Amino acid sequence: MSLSSSPSLQRVVVISGAGVSAESGLKTFRGDDGLWEGHRVEEVATPAAWAADPARVLRFYNERREQVRAARPNAAHRALAELEQGYHVDIVTQNVDDLHERAGSSRVLHLHGEIMLARSTIDAGCLIPLGDRDISLGDTCPLGGQLRPHVVWFGEEVPAMAAAAELVSQAGILLCVGTSLQVYPAASLVFLAPDEARRIVVDPHIPEVVPRTIFECLARPASEGVPLIVEELLRQGADK
Ligand code: APR
């Protein structure tokens, strides 16, 4: 992708994290009642955990997938989809849920994978939509390899990182929503926007790493803050 191929609409890049889905009932990872308060990362979200006890790892992600199925997009997801009426919007999400897509966003890059897909352990190109199904030990790809969740575990590469960095480097507006910016390499993306880009953070607890001199900080829940920003941007776009 290059600037010469960009459409005439101004480019907005949204970096989203677990906080954007919190009001849909999906737990964030850190902080009080976070997912990592109740589970040890090393036991469910690493290649070593998979090697030691794949059944436990599958159980953990099967439960999380069930929660995603039951969740509905909230006002923040919906507002970001609506923003496409006036802007070229790319969502770069760390979330493995599909709530941005279900709200109607058309360009969503999942940095940490997608929980609704299974992937073969012997053929990385083999992705299988799960729909209503879980993954069990013994479920295999056509080549016979065990299926695993299509999520990025701690200690694994983040294959979508280069594409995400390219998108952020072309942003006219960068909007970060609901991420603690504690996990790298994803967190490094916020520093890649062009100097002239407008930068906004929506999070009830603005992460300390956010430079307040260059970011507009809106300390509100996503379902309140994002619709406010989207309304302002669409109004500005219409005034031009
Ligand atoms: N609206 C907006 N933000 C919220 C809300 C809300 N209603 N509730 C909580 N938050 C914010 C928190 O203040 C915090 O800054 O969401 C952020 C959640 O941070 P984390 O739990 O660390 O989630 P995230 O940044 O997405 O984690 C990154 O870590 O464990 C890995 O792979 C996992 O993708 C995840 C990555």
Side-chain angles (χ1 to χ4, degrees):
M1 202 179 304
S2 71
L3 268 181
S4 59
S5 67
S6 70
S8 55
L9 293 175
Q10 192 178 17
R11 299 187 80 111
V12 178
V13 176
V14 179
I15 298 179
S16 72
V20 78
S21 296
E23 291 160 276
S24 293
L26 300 179
K27 281 186 173 186
T28 61
F29 293 93
R30 295 166 185 82
D32 296 346
D33 199 33
L35 201 57
W36 296 149
E37 297 296 305
H39 292 88
R40 283 167 48 83
V41 172
E42 303 79 15
E43 289 178 351
V44 292
T46 62
W50 177 250
D53 193 345
R56 186 213 299 254
V57 173
L58 290 177
R59 207 162 45 240
F60 173 73
Y61 285 99
N62 286 342
E63 282 168 14
R64 294 199 52 215
R65 195 176 304 105
E66 199 51 49
Q67 291 160 0
V68 168
R69 284 192 195 104
R72 298 285 171 265
N74 64 49
H77 300 104
R78 291 195 298 272
L80 293 172
E82 196 185 326
L83 189 59
E84 292 186 15
Q85 289 172 15
Y87 294 82
H88 181 94
V89 182
D90 283 289
I91 310 242
V92 175
T93 188
Q94 295 163 84
N95 299 344
V96 296
D97 68 55
D98 58 356
L99 295 181
H100 284 301
E101 288 92 339
R102 279 156 58 193
S105 285
S106 47
R107 280 173 296 277
V108 184
L109 184 65
H110 285 271
L111 274 179
H112 295 163
E114 298 177 62
I115 199 166
M116 300 309 295
L117 297 177
R119 183 170 88 229
S120 166
T121 45
I122 61 168
D123 175 10
C126 177
L127 296 177
I128 300 173
L130 285 163
D132 290 338
R133 284 168 301 159
D134 284 342
I135 307 178
S136 305
L137 275 186
D139 290 347
T140 57
C141 74
L143 296 177
Q146 171 67 44
L147 297 181
R148 58 165 275 183
H150 180 51
V151 299
V152 175
W153 289 325
F154 287 94
E156 292 189 314
E157 291 290 311
V158 181
M161 200 46 205
E166 176 75 8
L167 288 174
V168 175
S169 72
Q170 297 177 6
I173 299 169
L174 178 67
L175 173 58
C176 298
V177 186
T179 170
S180 64
L181 297 174
Q182 287 188 35
V183 173
Y184 282 78
S188 63
L189 288 171
V190 297
F191 302 107
L192 301 183
D195 288 345
E196 63 277 15
R198 181 177 175 191
R199 282 162 268 206
I200 309 164
V201 174
V202 178
D203 193 307
H205 305 287
I206 304 292
E208 279 178 17
V209 295
V210 169
R212 286 161 188 265
T213 45
I214 51 174
F215 277 83
E216 298 164 45
C217 299
L218 192 54
R220 305 274 284 264
S223 70
E224 294 174 18
V226 174
L228 284 176
I229 301 285
V230 165
E231 195 184 323
E232 182 205 323
L233 291 176
L234 287 174
R235 206 171 42 237
Q236 278 175 5
D239 289 347
K240 276 187 184 156

